[in-house]
Amino acid sequence: MRDLDASLAQLRNAWIAGRPAIESAPTAWRDAIGEDELALIALAGHASDVLTQRAPGTALIDRPLLPHLNAPFVPESLRGRFRRLLARPQNLPSLERYLIAFISARGLAAHPADWMPDAKDDWAPDLYAPWLDWIRADTRAAAPSDDEISSENYELWSWTERRRALAALRARDPAAALAIIAAKAGAEPAERRVRLIELMQVRLSETDAEFLETLAKDRSDRVRALSRGFLARLGRAGDTAALAAELAEMMSLEKSGSSIVECACVWRR
Amino acid sequence: MTLTRSAIEAMAPDQSALSAASALLKPAKWPVRAQSGPLIWGECQGSGANPYRVVADTADSGSKCTCPSRKFPCKHAIALMWMYVDDAATFQPGAIPPWVEDWMGRRRKGAGGAAAATGASEPKSMALAQEDAAKALDPAAEARKQASAAKRAQDTRNAVRAGLDDLEAWLTDQLRSGLTAFVTQPGERCRRIAARLVDAKAGALAGRIDEMPSRLLALPTDERVEAAIAEFGKLVLLMRAWRATPDDPELRREVVSSETREDVLSNPDALHVAATWEVLGERVSTRRDGLVSQATWLLNLDAHAQLFALLLDFFPASAGKRSAAFVAGDRFQAELVFYPARSPLRAVIATRSDAQGEYTWPEPPADPLTAYAASKLDAPWRIETPLLLPQGRIAAEAAGRAWWKAPSGSALQLRTNRPRSHSAPTSAKPPLCGMALALA
């Protein structure tokens, strides 16, 4: 086999340089095909395909196995429908986010052959955090698993681990978590800012109000809406009269027929 | 509104659509015809690998077909309604299948009659269309047609031989000028010889050569020369095999053109396999000749024999994007008829129904490369050969290239380095297959 590999390499070098290769062919081949250079390339191509096998240039490192999720997969009987819904019909918006959130809310996870998050899918439910870390593993160093998250080591954590650590810290020490979120959220993209600020719903208190009020001028509509909602839960609903007037504008009362009064609601962004 | 012959005549886009529809009225072309309430649907054996699915609403004459025709309604929809008007009893009552439900959910009511006005000035007649079909069955005309076809076939053989002479000279020129120059700029060189082969009526071979640059340029630079040698070698084998037996159906398909779907279905030597099939993946690509190629790979879940099948359809890119007939992971029962070949792979679906119950993948061979090599001996010119890998791991070399690694230590290089999620739905995804194995 080593002789064949050497012969194939010589043939390849000759053809790369535009030289006749017949002289470099194994003797048995030359006897069979004479001076037919095209027959030689047919033999070489086929031999390379079925008799030789490309070997890795360096030692192979096993990729880690896909981690298990803490949820059962969508039942086999429903996977077909799940895949059909995911395959976006022509001219219709993707249902991906809604569908993933829907099954996640019901305690189920997508089978990895049907759906996996991409590395940038920060919107994926927390359930998929182990997969997100697995997907991002080849570009990011492992999280400092022994240390508690802090403003100093925040960047060392993978996004999913960071969020998980912050959630745990928020449950244990809300003020410490608030300090990190307040210091770091501004540098995150909008999708991640939303996911960080969502963590504050656990043990939400008056201490958080000052930071939440600073988010009134955030660039993201979703961040502003989230902070308004949290402030409302703290009894700081802002200008309630203006909100009531705005809501009232969305409603109209109309008569339909002789006795039925219809109430129409118009949603506006 | 009740569906009538005159309503069908009015909605047909032109007389030729009616004539084409009349040729589809044979029950043998319709393995499935069913109805539920005002809805009728069926599957028609068209030119594609998969029967066209046609549905119509007899209440308002709305219809939908999966064929790529730009005419609306197409000949399949007209034929379905025509058969229903002639004899509704031939439509079995049945539960509405999901694809019909899907159409019902998306359709705009009243759209069915829109086409009627466009052809209003042209007289259209179903009776005339049936006369046209009867003329086509005239024995004398049929004999003339066959004689003409035989002459055309001989002309084609002569033209292809001349084209292959040019291809041999072209290959020799590429070797003489060096493969480094070829793999650097394969596009223009391949384009010229492909155009010559089109003139020489070797359309299938021309398409293959036209796509060679995209196959080569998709590889890392250091692998392109070896891939070019393999491509050239396959071309030589194919050319010389065709010269030896130009009437061999497999070789004719690879060099000139494919048989029609009807030819395959009526071929007594064609392999029929009835089984439960799983859709492994679909690859849709636009070719340089303007055609869109839609390749669907299937795995036989019932048996080891004839493990794989490939459904292959082509349609003009100008016809617009077609919705996929399948989604990866779909399972169905079907009788597939394979194009005659030494190692059959390409097939068409003769009949199809929903799969019942749960299935697992067949046990892979201990050494998948043995089956691969055997298949390569049968058809050494084949560009892609499927194989079922046993349990293994995904590994990476220092440069980041991904490999599949068997427990024995042997390894196969994977084309894609990173696993992709659902967002790339139109490609078969080898990394995902590897992950599934790693999970097992």
Side-chain angles (χ1 to χ4, degrees), chain A residues 90, chain B residues 48-52 65-69 282 284 292 294 313-317 319-325 426:
Chain A
Q90 197 177 350
Chain B
N50 195 18
Y52 296 131
C65 178
T66 56
C67 80
S69 171
E282 184 183 57
V284 180
V292 174
Q294 186 171 24
D313 278 318
F314 299 97
F315 55 92
K321 188 178 183 302
R322 289 173 78 182
S323 51
T426 55

Side-chain angles (χ1 to χ4, degrees), chain A residues 18-55:
Chain A
R19 284 186 278 109
I22 209 81
E23 290 303 317
S24 310
T27 312
W29 291 15
R30 271 206 309 271
D31 293 344
I33 61 174
E35 298 294 313
D36 188 346
E37 192 90 5
L38 290 184
L40 181 59
I41 202 167
L43 273 175
H46 193 68
S48 225
D49 205 4
V50 299
L51 295 179
T52 66
Q53 211 172 305
R54 180 182 288 272

Side-chain angles (χ1 to χ4, degrees), chain B residues 146-161:
Chain B
Q146 284 182 359
S148 171
K151 182 176 182 313
R152 272 202 311 276
Q154 185 55 47
D155 290 347
T156 299
R157 275 195 290 273
N158 294 339
V160 171
R161 274 202 188 90

Side-chain angles (χ1 to χ4, degrees), chain B residues 80-417:
Chain B
L80 181 79
M81 291 187 270
W82 189 336
M83 288 187 293
Y84 180 77
V85 167
D86 282 357
D87 188 2
T90 57
F91 286 68
Q92 300 299 317
I96 299 174
W99 60 272
V100 174
E101 278 180 356
D102 191 36
W103 174 72
M104 289 294 290
R106 288 191 226 167
R107 71 176 300 219
R108 287 173 296 163
K109 278 278 183 184
T118 58
S121 58
E122 184 188 341
K124 292 168 289 182
S125 159
M126 289 163 80
L128 190 61
Q130 281 179 307
E131 281 174 26
D132 290 344
K135 275 183 204 164
L137 296 175
D138 174 33
E142 189 64 21
R144 282 196 301 275
K145 199 171 149 189
Q146 284 182 359
S148 171
K151 182 176 182 313
R152 272 202 311 276
Q154 185 55 47
D155 290 347
T156 299
R157 275 195 290 273
N158 294 339
V160 171
R161 274 202 188 90
L164 295 189
D165 289 344
D166 290 348
L167 177 58
E168 288 220 10
W170 180 84
L171 285 168
T172 305
D173 282 350
Q174 304 315 309
L175 292 181
R176 199 175 292 141
S177 57
L179 288 182
T180 304
F182 175 75
V183 297
T184 308
Q185 285 188 317
E188 186 52 33
R189 295 179 185 216
C190 288
R191 183 78 262 201
R192 280 200 297 269
I193 187 64
R196 166 70 188 104
L197 289 170
V198 168
D199 289 345
K201 301 183 180 175
L205 196 55
R208 176 190 181 118
I209 293 174
D210 225 0
E211 292 307 305
M212 191 196 299
S214 64
R215 288 193 295 273
L216 293 177
L217 297 176
L219 298 171
T221 315
D222 60 341
E223 293 175 20
R224 289 178 192 167
V225 167
E226 198 169 329
I229 291 171
E231 291 267 2
F232 284 10
K234 286 172 185 176
L235 286 176
V236 173
L237 288 166
L238 185 55
M239 271 190 308
R240 296 192 175 180
W242 183 88
R243 280 186 195 282
T245 50
D247 291 330
D248 180 281
E250 180 180 6
L251 297 168
R252 186 182 151 74
R253 192 180 312 131
E254 296 285 342
V255 173
V256 184
S257 65
S258 292
E259 307 93 313
T260 65
R261 176 188 170 84
E262 286 72 23
D263 290 339
V264 177
L265 290 173
S266 62
N267 187 334
D269 298 328
L271 172 69
H272 290 238
V273 179
T276 304
W277 301 90
E278 177 169 323
V279 178
L280 296 176
E282 184 183 57
R283 183 191 293 144
V284 180
S285 54
T286 304
R287 305 185 340 156
R288 291 183 66 185
D289 58 10
L291 288 177
V292 174
S293 150
Q294 186 171 24
T296 308
W297 291 88
L298 305 177
L299 174 70
N300 182 345
L301 298 177
D302 289 344
H304 283 212
Q306 203 50 51
L307 258 183
F308 296 98
L310 171 64
L311 307 178
L312 198 53
D313 278 318
F314 299 97
F315 55 92
S318 55
K321 188 178 183 302
R322 289 173 78 182
S323 51
F326 301 104
V327 174
D330 278 355
R331 289 172 180 175
F332 57 88
Q333 288 177 325
E335 182 182 2
L336 264 56
V337 184
F338 286 79
Y339 285 72
R342 290 155 188 82
S343 174
L345 181 62
R346 187 177 171 189
V348 295
I349 295 179
T351 59
R352 168 157 69 123
S353 60
D354 292 337
Q356 306 293 332
E358 295 195 356
Y359 297 86
T360 54
W361 275 27
E363 197 63 30
D367 179 8
L369 293 182
T370 305
Y372 174 80
S375 171
K376 283 284 181 186
L377 284 173
D378 285 337
W381 42 78
R382 187 171 281 168
I383 293 172
E384 290 181 311
T385 302
L387 71 164
L388 184 60
L389 297 175
Q391 186 172 355
R393 289 286 297 263
I394 305 296
E397 60 178 309
R401 285 181 191 169
W403 292 71
W404 171 83
K405 205 176 82 174
S408 62
S410 64
L412 295 173
Q413 190 179 344
L414 297 175
R415 179 66 58 85
T416 311
N417 287 335

Side-chain angles (χ1 to χ4, degrees), chain A residues 25-197:
Chain A
T27 312
W29 291 15
R30 271 206 309 271
D31 293 344
I33 61 174
E35 298 294 313
D36 188 346
E37 192 90 5
L38 290 184
L40 181 59
I41 202 167
L43 273 175
H46 193 68
S48 225
D49 205 4
V50 299
L51 295 179
T52 66
Q53 211 172 305
R54 180 182 288 272
T58 58
L60 291 177
I61 299 163
D62 285 348
R63 278 188 64 108
L65 290 178
L66 188 65
H68 287 283
L69 301 183
N70 288 326
F73 291 139
V74 171
E76 191 65 27
S77 58
L78 295 177
R79 281 182 58 197
R81 286 180 181 219
F82 175 76
R83 286 190 295 261
R84 286 220 161 263
L85 285 169
L86 268 183
R88 180 175 55 173
Q90 197 177 350
N91 302 327
L92 289 179
S94 168
L95 293 174
E96 185 182 26
R97 291 191 183 200
Y98 306 107
L99 189 60
I100 297 303
F102 176 79
I103 62 161
S104 174
R106 276 150 186 77
L108 297 171
H111 189 283
D114 298 340
W115 181 85
M116 285 193 74
D118 278 333
K120 291 180 180 172
D121 285 346
D122 290 326
W123 56 267
D126 291 344
L127 165 68
Y128 296 99
W131 283 4
L132 278 168
D133 274 351
W134 181 84
I135 288 168
R136 294 163 176 160
D138 50 358
T139 55
R140 181 179 284 277
S145 54
D146 297 335
D147 297 329
E148 185 157 281
I149 190 165
S150 65
S151 294
E152 288 70 38
N153 68 14
Y154 178 89
E155 278 79 16
L156 298 177
W157 298 69
S158 73
W159 164 248
T160 45
E161 287 298 330
R162 185 185 301 167
R163 218 177 149 271
R164 190 158 37 197
L166 272 171
L169 182 64
R170 178 72 184 180
R172 203 170 54 248
D173 184 352
L178 169 65
I180 296 172
I181 293 170
K184 299 294 182 181
E188 295 283 11
E191 185 74 51
R192 290 191 175 187
R193 284 206 301 285
V194 171
R195 303 303 305 276
L196 283 180
I197 293 157

